[in-house]
Amino acid sequence: MSFFSNLFNRNNDPKSIISFDVVDPIYSYLYNQESSLEFKVKGIQEDVMVNLFFFPSSFDHEEGKEEIKKAGFKNSYEVLNELYKKVNIGVLSDEAIQEGLEYDFIHIQFYSEPTAEEKKFFKRSIKNFVIFFCCTNSLEVNDFKILYSGRHFFDYTKGLLESELLDVNNPKNESEAIGIRDFKLVLQGICQYLNIEIPETVELPSSENLVESEQATIETFEEFIKLVSRENIEEKQLKKQSKKLFKDYQKGTNEYHDIVDGHFDFFESIDAWNSDWKFDPEDAEYFISEMIGEDLNFEYPEETYSHDLFPYIQSALEKRGFELMSYNTNGDNYLFFVANKEDVSRILELSEITKIEIDQL
C-alpha cells in the first residue's frame, strides 16, 4: 500500500467520532481480519454494509472493466486518480502505476429517513460514504478524506466518480445533513460491533449499545400495538392481539400468507383507514379526521391526488404532533394509521423486530 500527502488539516477532532482515531482501527480490522461486514445498527433502517475494496483487484472482472471503459478510462488506476483529485490527494505517477501496487478504500452504505422532498419519490434514502486514507505533513498515514453520494451505485465506477467531497461540518443540503448524523451512529455501531474502544474524548452520538439484538416477545408486540394505536385500545384487546401476533410471528415464513392476513386483521381492528391506491383529498380529510378525533383540513394544489397528497397531509399532521403511516399490504392499497410523531422511530424499529412491515410515507 502507498499513500500520498496533501496539504490540508487532519480529520482528527478529538470530540468527533468522524476522526482518524476512530476510523483507523475500523480499517485495520477490515484489512487484517474481515473485509466485509453487514449488520443492524439501532436507529438505522435495514442493515449497514461495510466493505474494504481495492484498486485494481476489486475492479478486475468483466463488469468492472466494462464500467471503466464506459466511463472513458483505460484502467482502474486512472479512475483512482480522478477520485484522488476530488479529495485533494496527490495522484499516482506513471511509475507508481507501473509498480502495480494496491490502493484500498472503505465503502460504508446504509439507508436513512428521506427528507420531505425525497418522500415524494421513495421511502428511504441511500447514503454512501467512501473513505480514502492519506498523509498530512507526514510520511505515515494519519488522515482520510470522504466522498459522499446519495445515489444507488448500479454502475459502481460511475457511482464513485459521481460522488462528491464531503465536509462533515458543512452539509450541502438536508439529505446530506441526515446522512452525516446517521453516519456518526453507524461509526459508533461499527466500533461496538467489532469491540473497538472509542477514545474517551469522543462525544458519542448515542448512549446505547447500538448493536444489541432485541428479541421479539409478547411484550414487544404489546409495545408495538400501543404505539400504532396511540394507546387507544382496551387492555383485554391489547393482550389478545399481542398474543395472536406473537403466535403468528413464531410460525416463521412457512405460513407467510396466513401471517399477513393476521397483520391485516389487526390493523382493521384498530383505528385505521383501508384505502385504494387512488384517493381524493376529501377522502383523506374525512378519514384522517375520524382517526385523530378532530377536523383536519389541509391546503393542496388543484388536481392533486393519492400519494402526491402526502407532503400536504404530513405537514398538517405535524403541527398536531402526528404522522401518517401505513401497513405494507404488499398490494395495490394502503392501510393507513396515524402515529404520534415522537413514536415514529420506535415504530419503525419494532416493525423490523416483529416483521410487521410499516411504511413511512
Side-chain angles (χ1 to χ4, degrees):
M1 269 181 295
S2 296
F3 297 90
F4 294 81
S5 64
N6 63 72
L7 302 176
F8 293 82
N9 293 327
R10 290 182 62 204
N11 285 304
N12 206 38
D13 179 352
K15 292 184 178 181
S16 175
I17 198 162
I18 308 178
S19 65
F20 183 81
D21 287 342
V22 173
V23 176
D24 184 49
I26 294 173
Y27 164 76
S28 181
Y29 179 93
L30 294 170
Y31 186 81
N32 293 300
Q33 299 190 54
E34 190 175 4
S35 63
S36 182
L37 306 172
E38 185 172 347
F39 63 101
K40 184 75 180 71
V41 174
K42 285 184 182 177
I44 302 299
Q45 297 186 30
E46 301 198 17
D47 286 354
V48 170
M49 289 180 285
V50 185
N51 289 284
L52 184 66
F53 292 126
F54 298 85
F55 284 94
S57 60
S58 295
F59 299 82
D60 190 17
H61 50 82
E62 186 175 341
E63 184 179 352
K65 292 175 180 177
E66 185 63 32
E67 289 178 355
I68 290 168
K69 182 180 178 181
K70 193 184 348 177
F73 298 98
K74 297 177 183 177
N75 56 59
S76 63
Y77 287 122
E78 290 187 356
V79 174
L80 178 60
N81 274 343
E82 285 299 305
L83 300 176
Y84 276 173
K85 291 175 188 176
K86 281 177 176 279
V87 294
N88 302 312
I89 295 176
V91 299
L92 303 177
S93 65
D94 290 338
E95 292 76 13
I97 291 175
Q98 290 302 318
E99 290 183 36
L101 299 177
E102 293 217 307
Y103 301 84
D104 49 26
F105 64 95
I106 300 172
H107 184 176
I108 299 176
Q109 183 184 91
F110 57 89
Y111 288 97
S112 293
E113 63 177 301
T115 63
E117 182 63 25
E118 289 171 338
K119 283 182 182 178
K120 297 177 183 178
F121 308 102
F122 36 77
K123 297 172 182 176
R124 55 186 186 173
S125 179
I126 196 166
K127 310 296 179 187
N128 296 279
F129 292 81
V130 180
I131 303 172
F132 292 92
F133 287 89
C134 57
C135 308
T136 302
N137 301 326
S138 168
L139 296 177
E140 300 294 327
V141 175
N142 66 350
D143 201 2
F144 64 92
K145 300 295 178 182
I146 303 176
L147 287 175
Y148 168 83
S149 173
R151 299 178 180 178
H152 287 273
F153 283 21
F154 296 118
D155 179 319
Y156 197 80
T157 300
K158 182 181 179 182
L160 287 174
L161 290 167
E162 290 182 345
S163 302
E164 298 182 355
L165 179 62
L166 179 71
D167 182 346
V168 297
N169 296 313
N170 293 289
K172 295 177 181 177
N173 50 51
E174 183 186 359
S175 183
E176 193 171 288
I178 291 172
I180 293 169
R181 178 201 69 191
D182 288 351
F183 184 50
K184 294 177 181 179
L185 278 178
V186 166
L187 287 177
Q188 179 179 336
I190 294 172
C191 289
Q192 291 174 334
Y193 184 72
L194 299 178
N195 293 315
I196 291 173
E197 185 175 352
I198 300 173
E200 292 182 2
T201 57
V202 170
E203 296 175 353
L204 296 179
S206 174
S207 59
E208 293 185 71
N209 184 330
L210 299 176
V211 293
E212 286 182 337
S213 57
E214 187 173 347
Q215 300 298 317
T217 63
I218 290 181
E219 289 73 23
T220 310
F221 284 91
E222 285 187 8
E223 182 186 1
F224 177 80
I225 292 170
K226 284 181 180 179
L227 295 184
V228 299
S229 67
R230 303 199 317 281
E231 299 202 34
N232 186 24
I233 186 169
E234 294 182 358
E235 186 69 18
K236 183 178 180 181
Q237 181 73 353
L238 172 65
K239 298 295 183 184
K240 178 182 177 182
Q241 288 288 356
S242 58
K243 184 176 180 180
K244 182 181 185 306
L245 290 174
F246 181 58
K247 185 177 180 181
D248 287 343
Y249 169 84
Q250 291 178 308
K251 293 177 182 177
T253 57
N254 293 332
E255 299 179 54
Y256 174 78
H257 292 291
D258 289 342
I259 292 170
V260 169
D261 287 344
H263 295 169
F264 195 93
D265 290 343
F266 160 67
F267 279 98
E268 289 271 78
S269 73
I270 64 171
D271 208 356
W273 167 31
N274 185 6
S275 169
D276 187 68
W277 69 270
K278 187 174 183 180
F279 56 89
D280 296 326
E282 293 80 12
D283 293 332
E285 288 183 335
Y286 174 80
F287 286 107
I288 296 173
S289 294
E290 288 286 304
M291 287 192 284
I292 65 175
E294 58 181 280
D295 289 337
L296 179 79
N297 300 109
F298 55 90
E299 296 182 359
Y300 51 89
E302 290 186 18
E303 303 300 318
T304 305
Y305 305 96
S306 306
H307 66 273
D308 290 332
L309 291 167
F310 288 156
Y312 310 103
I313 295 172
Q314 301 290 32
S315 178
L317 284 173
E318 186 174 13
K319 295 174 183 177
R320 294 167 167 82
F322 298 133
E323 182 170 326
L324 187 68
M325 306 188 79
S326 177
Y327 167 66
N328 188 337
T329 65
N330 291 291
D332 60 355
N333 64 312
Y334 292 103
L335 196 44
F336 294 116
F337 65 94
V338 174
N340 292 320
K341 186 76 177 175
E342 62 187 20
D343 296 332
V344 168
S345 294
R346 181 58 177 163
I347 288 172
L348 292 173
E349 287 180 2
L350 292 170
S351 169
E352 292 195 25
I353 296 167
T354 61
K355 308 304 179 188
I356 301 177
E357 296 183 60
I358 301 299
D359 292 331
Q360 256 189 307
L361 305 171

